[in-house]
């Protein structure tokens, strides 16, 4: 049906609806009473117009999504699994809308449902109902047969325009259970298969742990926590019931007792990205806690140096710019691959454009089966869905490094020149002198082939030829940026700062010497008789 719809026809219909709506509001504003205009009646009309235009545009977008799916399935000749086609469509819609894959998946679902709900779709196209109402109705009817959906659509259409999303969902649920009582049970069983736990970052170094599961089980868990918290409060615990609820839940999950001030000696591993000066206490540059984000320097030092803590701290130090990693502390229980450690520390989230999911996979930008190396320069952080999408037919991911190439001059690095053979021997490299050491790619703290060499800009090309770019964290990215220093206050702090500065200087000199040797490499002299 939709493969025969011309995109220009869809756009013309949208323009016609928008023009008609704008013209109608202009006429209404012109007919308003001057007293009402003084009170702001014209502005109210503009607000209502904008809401209607948003709804009309969203309805047109839903139609375009349905047409995209129809065309893609009609022209796809390469055998692909249904899940692969679905994921490819969902990702392309997500990048076009600049939203997450889950949000685009909702759009794809609604476009399919509305094809069997013509009355609801017509109200949506007219701007009479919001996308929230559409979403609730589609969610309730997804397990009905086509015949039952048509009946529910016709019976619900008369009142749908006056219902809020919540009331529309309730009305659709009542009709659903009346038409097919078994549908409610099917929904229950399907929902139980989607149980999960998620972590959401909040302000002020706090987070929310969300558990989605069967209602009877979670209700029993909450009542157990509430009873325990109420009993401790009655026994004189100074914490509030809400604080006790949270502390009790964490105690039962981690096995560690939580103090009245919210501290707990948790046995876990914490990845902490910081500058060495932050650890020494000579500056207050924010550190980065893996899985959360920026944390105050004082808290980072407390996590690392607290003598009573039982957590394993993996400290990842940065170079002087606060961005590129230079060394990883080896003191930890398990040793993951160095490249994965570096990539996850610098790029905490998926690098696909408009995706903010956690980076669960370290993906080969150039696929391994096509010769892509397993190095940091070819490693991209990716969520599971994006990692699988790029392997589908028609997708391509490339990278490019911003700024001048390594052999081009920069303000801090002049272009090396090839030595003149007539230069006196003392100024030429002595063949008997051992060559300076170059970065070893197998070293734990080396950036050769690591994230420092990875492309700054990654481009995703879709099966339709659209290109979307994503930029790796830079001055405003994952690592600490604004460096807040303060002078050392003790001989030990001054000594530590001096050692860090010298180590950085030695590292930079070694890199510069290796680059110079590569640029000025001469062929071996022929043997003399």
């Amino acid at each position: 049906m939709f493969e025969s719809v011309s995109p220009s026809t869809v756009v013309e219909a949208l323009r016609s609806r928008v023009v008609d709506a704008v013209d109608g509001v202009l006429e209404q504003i012109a007919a308003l009473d001057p007293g009402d205009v003084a009170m702001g009646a014209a502005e109210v009309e503009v607000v209502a117009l904008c809401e209607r235009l948003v709804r009309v545009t969203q309805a047109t977008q839903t139609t375009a999504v349905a047409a995209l799916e129809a065309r893609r399935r009609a022209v796809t000749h390469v055998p692909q699994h249904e899940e692969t086609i679905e994921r490819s469509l969902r990702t392309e819609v997500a990048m076009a809308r600049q939203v997450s894959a889950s949000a685009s998946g909702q759009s794809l679902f609604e476009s399919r449902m509305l094809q069997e709900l013509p009355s609801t779709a017509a109200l949506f196209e007219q701007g009479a109902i919001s996308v929230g109402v559409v979403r609730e109705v589609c969610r309730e009817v997804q397990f009905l047969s086509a015949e039952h959906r048509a009946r529910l659509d016709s019976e619900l259409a008369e009142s749908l325009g006056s219902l809020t999303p919540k009331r529309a969902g309730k009305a659709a649920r009542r009709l659903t259970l009346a038409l097919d009582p078994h549908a409610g049970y099917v929904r229950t069983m399907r929902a139980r298969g989607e149980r999960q736990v998620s972590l959401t970052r909040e302000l002020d170094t706090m987070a929310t742990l969300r558990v989605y599961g069967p209602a009877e089980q979670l209700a029993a868990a909450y009542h157990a926590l509430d009873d325990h918290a109420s009993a401790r409060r009655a026994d004189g615990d100074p914490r509030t019931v809400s604080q006790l609820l949270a502390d009790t839940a964490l105690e039962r999950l981690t096995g560690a007792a939580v103090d009245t001030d919210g501290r707990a000696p948790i046995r876990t591993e914490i990845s902490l990205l910081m500058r060495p000066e932050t650890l020494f206490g000579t500056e207050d540059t924010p550190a980065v806690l893996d899985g959360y984000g920026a944390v105050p320097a004082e808290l980072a030092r407390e996590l690392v140096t607290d003598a009573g803590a039982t957590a394993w701290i993996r400290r990842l130090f940065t170079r002087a710019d606060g961005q590129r990693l230079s060394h990883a502390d080896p003191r930890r229980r398990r040793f993951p691959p160095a490249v994965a450690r570096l990539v996850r520390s610098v790029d905490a989230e998926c690098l696909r454009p408009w995706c903010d999911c956690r980076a669960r996979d370290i993906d080969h930008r150039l696929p391994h089966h096509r010769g892509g190396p397993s190095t940091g320069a070819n490693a991209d952080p990716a969520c599971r869905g994006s990692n699988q999408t790029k392997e589908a037919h028609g997708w391509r991911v490339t990278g490019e490094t911003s700024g001048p190439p390594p052999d081009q001059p920069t303000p801090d690095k002049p272009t090396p020149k090839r030595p003149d053979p007539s230069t006196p021997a003392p100024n030429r490299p002595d063949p008997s002198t051992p060559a300076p050491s170059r970065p070893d790619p197998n070293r734990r703290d080396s950036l050769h082939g690591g994230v420092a060499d990875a492309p700054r800009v990654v481009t995703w090309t879709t099966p339709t030829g659209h290109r979307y770019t994503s930029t790796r964290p830079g001055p405003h990215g994952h690592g600490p940026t604004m460096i807040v220093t303060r002078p050392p206050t003790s001989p030990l702090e001054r000594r530590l700062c001096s050692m860090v500065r010298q180590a950085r200087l030695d590292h930079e000199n070694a890199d510069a010497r290796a680059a110079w040797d590569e640029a000025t490499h001469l062929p071996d002299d022929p043997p003399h008789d």
Side-chain angles (χ1 to χ4, degrees):
M1 175 176 124
F2 281 101
E3 62 269 18
S4 60
V5 176
S6 170
S8 59
T9 303
V10 175
V11 175
E12 286 293 339
L14 173 61
R15 182 167 64 179
S16 176
R17 294 191 187 100
V18 170
V19 171
D20 291 344
V22 171
D23 290 344
V25 169
L26 289 175
E27 294 177 359
Q28 293 176 9
I29 292 177
L32 288 174
D33 183 86
D36 294 337
V37 172
M39 292 294 294
E43 286 75 11
V44 172
E45 294 293 339
V46 173
V47 170
L49 170 66
C50 291
E51 176 61 27
R52 183 181 177 187
L53 295 181
V54 167
R55 297 176 178 182
V56 170
T57 305
Q58 288 174 331
T60 304
Q61 186 182 69
T62 302
T63 302
V65 170
L68 169 64
E69 180 178 16
R71 289 181 180 276
R72 181 66 57 79
R73 293 183 180 278
V75 301
T76 299
H77 304 298
V78 178
Q80 297 186 69
H81 193 273
E82 174 62 26
E83 185 178 352
T84 302
I85 299 175
E86 174 89 8
R87 188 182 300 112
S88 179
L89 284 167
R90 187 168 59 243
T91 304
E92 186 155 11
V93 172
M95 290 197 288
R97 291 187 55 199
Q98 302 181 5
V99 297
S100 65
S102 59
S104 67
Q106 184 68 35
S107 297
L108 199 59
F109 165 73
E110 292 164 5
S111 69
R112 293 168 180 168
M113 289 292 101
L114 287 177
Q115 295 180 46
E116 300 183 23
L117 303 172
S119 299
T120 303
L123 291 172
F124 194 23
E125 292 174 355
Q126 297 165 12
I129 59 176
S130 67
V131 67
V133 172
V134 172
R135 186 164 296 142
E136 290 295 326
V137 173
C138 292
R139 188 177 67 172
E140 295 296 336
V141 305
Q142 59 182 311
F143 298 112
L144 291 177
S145 63
E147 179 184 357
H148 286 158
R149 288 174 186 164
R151 285 189 57 187
L152 182 145
D153 182 55
S154 61
E155 293 186 20
L156 193 61
E158 294 183 3
S159 59
L160 201 58
S162 61
L163 299 179
T164 64
K166 186 175 181 179
R167 292 181 178 179
K170 289 182 178 180
R173 189 178 304 116
R174 288 193 296 268
L175 289 173
T176 297
L177 294 177
L179 292 171
D180 186 1
H182 183 63
Y185 177 76
V186 173
R187 285 189 55 184
T188 299
M189 293 298 101
R190 182 183 178 89
R192 288 173 181 259
E194 298 175 354
R195 57 191 182 276
Q196 58 178 301
V197 176
S198 60
L199 182 68
T200 304
R201 284 171 276 187
E202 306 291 353
L203 296 175
D204 303 323
T205 324
M206 301 292 284
T208 298
L209 184 67
R210 178 177 176 269
V211 181
Y212 178 77
E216 72 278 5
Q217 297 177 24
L218 294 183
Y222 179 82
H223 289 316
L225 292 174
D226 186 59
D227 292 343
H228 184 75
S230 299
R232 293 177 67 174
R233 176 67 176 174
D235 291 339
D237 196 302
R239 288 170 285 186
T240 65
V241 173
S242 297
Q243 292 172 338
L244 286 168
L245 278 169
D247 294 346
T248 302
L250 292 176
E251 288 175 349
R252 296 188 177 182
L253 287 172
T254 64
V258 181
D259 297 337
T260 54
D261 60 354
R263 301 173 185 270
I266 299 176
R267 295 180 178 273
T268 185
E269 179 178 304
I270 300 173
S271 296
L272 203 59
L273 178 65
M274 64 170 67
R275 286 167 48 85
E277 291 86 349
T278 301
L279 176 61
F280 302 153
T282 59
E283 69 176 37
D284 292 323
T285 302
V288 178
L289 182 63
D290 186 23
Y292 176 79
V295 297
E298 188 174 355
L299 176 61
R301 286 192 291 270
E302 183 179 313
L303 290 174
V304 174
T305 60
D306 186 3
T310 56
W312 292 81
I313 306 296
R314 173 157 37 110
R315 290 159 287 191
L316 301 169
F317 300 130
T318 68
R319 289 190 176 183
D321 58 7
Q323 288 297 312
R324 297 183 295 170
L325 292 177
S326 62
H327 181 69
D329 191 344
R331 291 172 294 177
R332 54 189 305 279
R333 290 178 294 176
R334 293 178 297 274
F335 188 81
V339 169
R341 180 176 65 236
L342 292 176
V343 171
R344 283 198 176 97
S345 298
V346 176
D347 302 310
E349 297 174 344
C350 178
L351 204 57
R352 178 182 67 76
W354 313 112
C355 182
D356 54 5
C357 295
R358 178 184 175 187
R360 290 188 174 273
D361 296 340
I362 305 299
D363 181 41
H364 290 76
R365 187 183 317 103
L366 177 63
H368 187 267
H369 62 83
R370 299 180 188 172
S374 297
T375 63
N378 191 46
D380 282 346
C383 65
R384 192 62 48 82
S386 297
N387 189 6
Q388 296 173 344
T389 296
K390 67 180 287 290
E391 300 299 328
H393 178 70
W395 288 88
R396 186 164 57 91
V397 180
T398 57
E400 62 182 69
T401 304
S402 61
D407 59 344
Q408 295 296 317
T410 64
D412 300 323
K413 177 180 155 186
T415 304
K417 297 181 180 179
R418 184 182 182 88
D420 188 348
S422 62
T423 303
N427 294 332
R428 295 190 60 190
D430 185 357
S432 63
T433 303
S437 59
R438 289 183 171 84
D440 180 3
N442 297 318
R443 280 179 52 190
R444 179 184 62 253
D445 59 343
S446 174
L447 289 183
H448 180 69
V451 292
D453 303 316
R456 290 276 293 127
V457 178
V458 176
T459 301
W460 282 59
T461 305
T462 72
T464 58
H466 289 81
R467 292 163 58 89
Y468 302 91
T469 60
S470 177
T471 304
R472 264 189 161 83
H476 303 285
H478 186 59
T481 54
M482 183 177 293
I483 299 173
V484 183
T485 61
R486 51 190 174 87
T489 57
S490 69
L492 177 60
E493 289 180 351
R494 287 193 290 269
R495 175 59 178 163
L496 291 173
C497 289
S498 176
M499 293 172 62
V500 169
R501 286 194 296 268
Q502 185 60 46
R504 283 178 172 152
L505 182 61
D506 293 342
H507 194 94
E508 292 172 0
N509 290 339
D511 287 348
R513 189 176 182 186
W516 176 272
D517 289 342
E518 291 177 359
T520 61
H521 177 70
L522 295 175
D524 295 335
D525 293 334
H528 297 284
D529 293 336

